[in-house]
Amino acid sequence: MPTRNDIRNVAIVAHVDHGKTTLVDAMLKQAGAFAAHQQLDDRMMDSNDLEREKGITILAKNTAVKYHPKDGGAPITINIIDTPGHADFGGEVERGLSMVDAVVLLVDASEGPLPQTRFVLRKALTARLPVILCINKTDRPDARIDEVINETYDLFLDLDADEDQIEFPIVYACARDGVASLTKPENGTVPADSDSLEPFFSTILEHVPAPTFDADAPLQAHVTNLDADNFLGRIALLRVEQGELRKGQTVAWIKRDGTISNVRISELLMTEALTRKPAEVAGPGDICAVAGISDIMIGETLADPENPIALPLITVDEPAISMTIGTNTSPLVGRGGSGKGADAKSAGRVDRKVTARQVKDRLDRELIGNVSLRVLETERPDAWEVQGRGELALAILIETMRREGFELTVGKPQVVTKEVNGKTHEPVERLTVDVPEEHMGAVTQLMGIRKGRMDNMSNHGSGWVRMEFVVPSRGLIGFRTEFLTNTRGTGIAHSIHEGHEPWFGTLTTRNNGSLVADRAGVVTAFAMTNLQERGVLFCDPGTEVYEGMIVGENSRADDMDVNITKEKKLTNMRSSNADVAESIVPPRKLSLEQSLEFCREDECIEVTPETVRIRKVVLDQKDRGRTASRAKKA
């Protein structure tokens, strides 16, 4: 078959924080993608604000570099897909792999293969893609290169890789310094026989297959991602499999339901470095973007109008976690952070979105670009069940909507169960934990409460222990905060979906109850002084609260209704201890993720652009008491 030797398509896959985006930065710089006077940021591919704040890649992105071979041959375009390393964004990984002909598997020289390494590698092997192994961060003081390579081979065997796939080339790199080598360096050192990524580029050219095509085949182009432009409208990112795509051309648009309509390509764009530039034609193997089709969706096909042949739809794993997202129903809806003073003035400037129609439209828009998400109707007209891969993916969606001005009520995360042979099965996770030896007992006890079973344990002799558990997904909701507390902030935990197993039974993951405000008002320092002995408070003095809002964590197992707005009574008498200053323990501020972990079944979270509050689903104290007494009798 004819081959296009002027192009290579490769995806970089790895576990979270093993250096994918840093390596892409170095490739862009060394391939001459930027002028000498340009100011360059670190992690240029992480363009999303949330990606920069959290230090992770959330959205799969593509870039292209023009590589000039050292032998003076014609320049070769290398299309690079930077994929997320977190399994919660697996839909992005699957889309990225559908665009490429090989993958670079990046593994940390110290940490070795971790759960997300297994996840992304399994996807690549299932897609029958060749693999290049890159051992990154060889300069880490605790690097153990030989052991990590052996662990990677074991992982390939564990995932049933065939002989061709397991015979992979190995590159050693320090992406931060932009250095790669084919010769194994000493542990803890940068490769000494190279001063650039030239060995890495040459390995890509040698081992990534060039796209092949049938010269007589009709046009076929697969839509793998979507973007938007203020001038061009919706942009579809696609890979041309066969034939040629031209600007102004009329093509057949084969939709997900099988219907076909003819559309015109109003604009054709090709990626160079980090920008898209107008082009006239895209051939087989090219990754390009087209505009002019307003309702196009991921997985659909653009084909020859005379002979339309659809490509297979992109399939993703089933969601494992769900939560209810609805309009804000609290007494402070639309009133900003505290509902008073300066916050109220700033609240008026925010474009608040508080209606059910606005929330539903936003969730429908999210479905267009996020193939791993599901939105289901509920009994209430102003709330919807949103299902996703994991807690982090749903928290990212809520945080994004919050920054766009939405006010939401979010329910406690739940697991999505399945019926198998008449029995309820729930999703389970494979959890890998790295902890210092002295915290091993605390972690084992923590996992025992959450019904996790230990599958494997290894001690590398460096004072750290690696343990693998199989644990129900329910058991990991609220796990991270307690885990970091028990390990003094030193533990590292990563999990990946492992399938479904029979229902594990009742789990008690939070031992402490809540301190619940019993009336509306403003938090006073006097009331906080008296209440801080009862537990940990979440509010500052001056914060406006309402009945049913959770203002702290009780030191006991049951909930306690408290008056946090109580004021000190003033008299006309003075005593020797009247003006003694009381010290207030600084309140614990919960982030959105921590609030989701803290939430119980009868609680939910109020999310606004300014603040996150935890509240009871039923705000009225008497109604909650009646509900509890009825539950006991039942």
Side-chain angles (χ1 to χ4, degrees), residues 78-256:
I78 302 177
N79 287 310
I80 307 163
I81 309 294
D82 181 20
T83 62
H86 205 289
D88 280 15
F89 310 108
E92 300 286 330
V93 176
E94 284 147 354
R95 292 212 302 261
L97 295 183
S98 69
M99 302 166 70
V100 298
D101 302 304
V103 297
V104 173
L105 178 68
L106 212 63
V107 180
D108 189 295
S110 169
E111 295 181 358
L114 284 168
Q116 266 78 22
T117 314
R118 171 185 288 268
F119 170 77
V120 292
L121 180 59
R122 183 195 301 151
K123 295 293 179 189
L125 295 178
T126 303
R128 312 293 304 163
L129 296 173
V131 178
I132 297 171
L133 176 63
C134 179
I135 304 295
N136 191 28
K137 304 186 183 181
T138 59
D139 59 328
R140 282 187 59 158
D142 54 350
R144 46 188 191 92
I145 297 172
D146 287 331
E147 291 177 47
V148 166
I149 292 173
N150 290 333
E151 289 172 11
T152 307
Y153 275 113
D154 291 342
L155 178 59
F156 271 78
L157 294 171
D158 196 26
L159 294 175
D160 297 327
D162 59 31
E163 290 183 13
D164 292 337
Q165 291 172 317
I166 209 166
E167 293 297 326
F168 48 79
I170 302 176
V171 181
Y172 307 91
C174 177
R176 187 191 59 200
D177 295 349
V179 176
S181 172
L182 300 179
T183 306
K184 182 170 74 71
E186 294 293 322
N187 287 334
T189 63
V190 178
D193 62 339
S194 172
D195 58 359
S196 69
L197 292 177
E198 177 61 32
F200 182 57
F201 280 119
S202 60
T203 304
I204 288 177
L205 297 188
E206 183 180 349
H207 293 278
V208 175
T212 58
F213 61 96
D214 183 352
D216 300 323
L219 169 67
Q220 280 184 307
H222 210 190
V223 180
T224 57
N225 211 341
L226 296 174
D227 202 352
D229 185 272
N230 292 333
F231 302 102
L232 300 175
R234 182 178 295 184
I235 294 174
L237 190 72
L238 42 84
R239 170 171 168 155
V240 181
E241 301 289 348
Q242 304 286 353
E244 288 186 341
L245 197 61
R246 295 180 178 276
K247 180 180 177 180
Q249 180 182 359
T250 298
V251 298
W253 168 25
I254 306 176
K255 302 177 185 176
R256 295 181 74 91

Side-chain angles (χ1 to χ4, degrees), residues 5 38 114 211 229 253 287 362 415 417 445 490 565 570:
N5 289 311
Q38 280 185 268
L114 284 168
D229 185 272
W253 168 25
I287 294 173
R362 178 61 180 83
V415 294
T417 58
Q445 185 177 357
T490 58
T565 64
L570 300 177

Side-chain angles (χ1 to χ4, degrees), residues 110-111 114 142 144 431-447 454 456-469 479-494:
S110 169
E111 295 181 358
L114 284 168
D142 54 350
R144 46 188 191 92
L431 176 74
T432 301
V433 176
D434 286 301
V435 290
E437 290 173 345
E438 62 265 27
H439 299 308
M440 198 174 83
V443 172
T444 307
Q445 185 177 357
L446 195 60
M447 292 313 302
M454 189 183 292
N456 192 15
M457 183 171 73
S458 55
N459 191 329
H460 299 307
S462 57
W464 284 67
V465 179
R466 174 169 294 179
M467 296 180 282
E468 284 190 16
F469 296 90
F479 163 76
R480 197 164 298 276
T481 303
E482 205 170 343
F483 169 73
L484 289 174
T485 302
N486 288 0
T487 61
R488 306 289 190 274
T490 58
I492 303 169
H494 297 285

Side-chain angles (χ1 to χ4, degrees), residues 7-10 24 27-29 31-34 45 61-67 76-82 201 270-276 286-288:
I7 189 171
R8 299 289 190 278
N9 297 320
V10 64
V24 175
M27 293 175 72
L28 286 166
K29 291 172 185 173
F34 304 104
M45 294 291 283
K61 304 175 194 68
N62 75 300
T63 184
V65 298
K66 290 275 188 191
Y67 175 69
I76 297 172
T77 300
I78 302 177
N79 287 310
I80 307 163
I81 309 294
D82 181 20
F201 280 119
M270 301 281 279
T271 303
E272 286 186 27
L274 301 179
T275 58
R276 294 194 184 113
D286 277 329
I287 294 173
C288 61

